[in-house]
Amino acid sequence: MAQYAQVPFLLPGMHTALQDSVKWNSEWEKLTNQFKHVSPAQFVQSSALQLALESDGMDTSMLQYQGFLGSLVALELALAPDTVRYLSGGLQSKWTEADPAVREKHILIGLSNACSIAKNLHDARIYCGRDFQLSRLRANGEIVLEWLTSLVMPANGRKYSDLLDAPNYIPDPVWDAYAEQQKQSGASDSEKLALGTILVLRSKLIFHVVQYTLKSFMGEDLPTYNVPKFSKKRNPQSTVLQKSDIEAFTKMMLGKSGAKAYAKENKAAWQDRQKDRKEHCTFVGCMKANTGTEKYPRCKKCWENMKREVVYCSTQCQVADWKSNHKQVCGKPLSFDSVSKPKLTHARTPEEMAPIHATEADAPLTVPSTPTTVWRSYI
Ligand SMILES: [Zn+2]
Ligand SMILES: [Zn+2]
């Protein structure tokens, strides 16, 4: 297993996703076929090993994981009104009856846009290769619709307000079985974090693919996202693979000129991401992007003790985060359990409050038989 973690693979460049999505996707599908024998356990263990070897990486990765969870919840809450509108507007039959070639076009737009948002999402596609095979999605229109409903309307009796404690994950027999096995075997924090991160990114990626695909299909404007900025303390000694190893590997795989083109493209993609990257409020109930020129003030104790960048857009957010869980983790090393639940119970902005109107927040989440009633509970 340790060997596996040392094997890098070349992902089709994020930067080409929007430029030539057909070619980009066919490269992905080739890669997916090569990796179809890799089990969730192998993915998780190699990723956990990487985390464990990055001596200072765990804390940053925990914080990043907490951010992913919070943003997944926010995305799900944002998609809920769209879902109700789509389902009550006859999208289901339009989509399933559409020519597969038409579906393919929009799915490709969905995939390429979703993978272009952030490097993490782009890379996550390798963990869920089977999910995103264009031929499968093209042939079976139901899959995208099932994703749409299970993202915001889980069947297992969860309530809308439950979303605030934990996001909805898209069920998958293989990953679910592995998660269950991991729970029983008493996994380490790095294994739990590796699995948690993979699952939350898988759901985020599905969310974005569904959103872009259906918006494109309906002829609506495609959304844009600010990429959150996480401070990564760079320790050149801590990575499993050194830069020179990666260079040698790409040269071996692609030849000298191929490696050069790959490095150039990676650099361009990196510069693109930097451009869109913004500091975000740490409080998961807010996560507002900093669009001003001044940096957000940071938590002094977290910075001094841990060099952890915990920043807030306002004193209200700092107080709300302190009350919800920052008190337990401030200035101390993080553990998986202390970060694994997004706490959104305080200080949401009016816009963010909109989808969870207090009086009906506890209405069970079911697929609407009478769309207008359910719609009302979201606004
Ligand atoms: Zn805030
Ligand atoms: Zn703190």
Side-chain angles (χ1 to χ4, degrees):
M1 224 54 86
Q3 275 301 344
Y4 178 71
Q6 308 288 334
V7 179
F9 39 82
L10 295 182
L11 299 174
M14 174 178 171
H15 208 233
T16 53
L18 294 175
Q19 291 164 0
D20 188 350
S21 43
V22 175
K23 181 165 167 258
W24 169 82
N25 185 65
S26 71
E27 286 172 18
W28 265 109
E29 302 230 336
K30 259 186 256 159
L31 192 73
T32 308
N33 278 330
Q34 280 174 35
F35 277 80
K36 66 178 176 221
H37 61 281
V38 179
S39 69
Q42 285 168 303
F43 275 129
V44 168
Q45 281 165 26
S46 74
S47 154
L49 183 68
Q50 182 116 12
L51 283 171
L53 288 171
E54 290 177 23
S55 52
D56 60 357
M58 274 296 269
D59 202 73
T60 321
S61 306
M62 293 271 187
L63 204 64
Q64 180 167 281
Y65 171 62
Q66 191 177 40
F68 289 154
L69 277 173
S71 63
L72 180 59
V73 168
L75 289 171
E76 288 175 355
L77 289 170
L79 187 64
D82 274 345
T83 305
V84 177
R85 184 166 56 85
Y86 288 154
L87 297 180
S88 59
L91 169 96
Q92 281 150 302
S93 51
K94 258 187 248 167
W95 177 253
T96 46
E97 285 158 21
D99 191 293
V102 172
R103 279 206 296 266
E104 178 176 303
K105 182 184 132 197
H106 296 290
I107 292 162
L108 200 51
I109 289 172
L111 279 170
S112 53
N113 276 280
C115 288
S116 299
I117 296 174
K119 178 112 175 60
N120 291 317
L121 290 178
H122 177 81
D123 293 357
R125 195 177 170 193
I126 194 72
Y127 302 125
C128 24
R130 292 172 310 119
D131 291 319
F132 296 118
Q133 262 170 332
L134 187 62
S135 52
R136 181 170 160 264
L137 295 173
R138 168 196 158 106
N140 184 350
E142 297 288 336
I143 298 171
V144 171
L145 296 176
E146 278 164 22
W147 282 344
L148 177 71
T149 47
S150 59
L151 269 171
V152 292
M153 297 174 177
N156 57 359
R158 289 187 75 200
K159 297 186 175 91
Y160 200 59
S161 55
D162 295 341
L163 260 190
L164 301 180
D165 290 326
N168 289 325
Y169 289 95
I170 307 289
D172 175 84
V174 180
W175 281 105
D176 295 349
Y178 180 71
E180 194 49 43
Q181 187 193 324
Q182 202 204 46
K183 218 186 279 168
Q184 284 164 15
S185 64
S188 68
D189 256 14
S190 53
E191 283 167 337
K192 281 195 255 180
L193 183 62
L195 177 65
T197 303
I198 289 172
L199 293 184
V200 77
L201 286 175
R202 174 178 181 269
S203 286
K204 279 189 78 167
L205 189 53
I206 290 177
F207 170 95
H208 286 296
V209 170
V210 168
Q211 190 188 39
Y212 278 116
T213 299
L214 296 181
K215 280 207 181 283
S216 164
F217 181 67
M218 300 295 274
E220 296 171 7
D221 288 343
L222 300 183
T224 52
Y225 291 93
N226 288 324
V227 181
K229 186 166 143 189
F230 292 101
S231 81
K232 280 244 177 199
K233 288 162 283 165
R234 295 215 166 266
N235 175 354
Q237 300 310 315
S238 72
T239 49
V240 185
L241 286 164
Q242 301 297 317
K243 200 170 164 234
S244 54
D245 294 334
I246 296 169
E247 280 166 7
F249 177 75
T250 45
K251 217 177 264 180
M252 185 183 85
M253 296 295 286
L254 303 172
K256 206 173 167 187
S257 64
K260 217 172 159 186
Y262 190 81
K264 195 176 158 198
E265 191 216 294
N266 267 346
K267 195 176 168 195
W270 184 80
Q271 282 167 341
D272 251 21
R273 288 197 301 277
Q274 292 309 105
K275 205 175 61 206
D276 295 336
R277 219 166 257 207
K278 287 192 174 65
E279 186 178 53
H280 284 59
C281 178
T282 301
F283 178 47
V284 293
C286 172
M287 298 183 73
K288 195 166 86 182
N290 188 354
T291 50
T293 47
E294 299 259 310
K295 287 196 73 170
Y296 282 160
R298 63 187 171 207
C299 174
K300 198 163 165 254
K301 203 167 150 198
C302 281
W303 180 251
E304 281 176 1
N305 294 2
M306 302 297 300
K307 288 284 170 289
R308 184 188 298 147
E309 197 110 40
V310 173
V311 297
Y312 297 105
C313 73
S314 62
T315 337
Q316 287 94 309
C317 280
Q318 186 177 14
V319 171
D321 196 32
W322 182 259
K323 283 185 190 158
S324 65
N325 89 332
H326 193 68
K327 189 164 49 177
Q328 277 100 52
V329 297
C330 185
K332 289 184 267 189
L334 298 170
S335 76
F336 181 77
D337 293 327
S338 65
V339 301
S340 60
K341 276 197 165 191
K343 300 266 171 44
L344 303 184
T345 42
H346 304 275
R348 292 169 65 80
T349 65
E351 291 79 11
E352 286 164 329
M353 275 311 287
I356 41 162
H357 193 274
T359 55
E360 300 203 51
D362 279 326
L365 275 175
T366 48
V367 178
S369 49
T370 48
T372 41
T373 327
V374 179
W375 168 248
R376 233 176 266 129
S377 74
Y378 291 129
I379 50 177

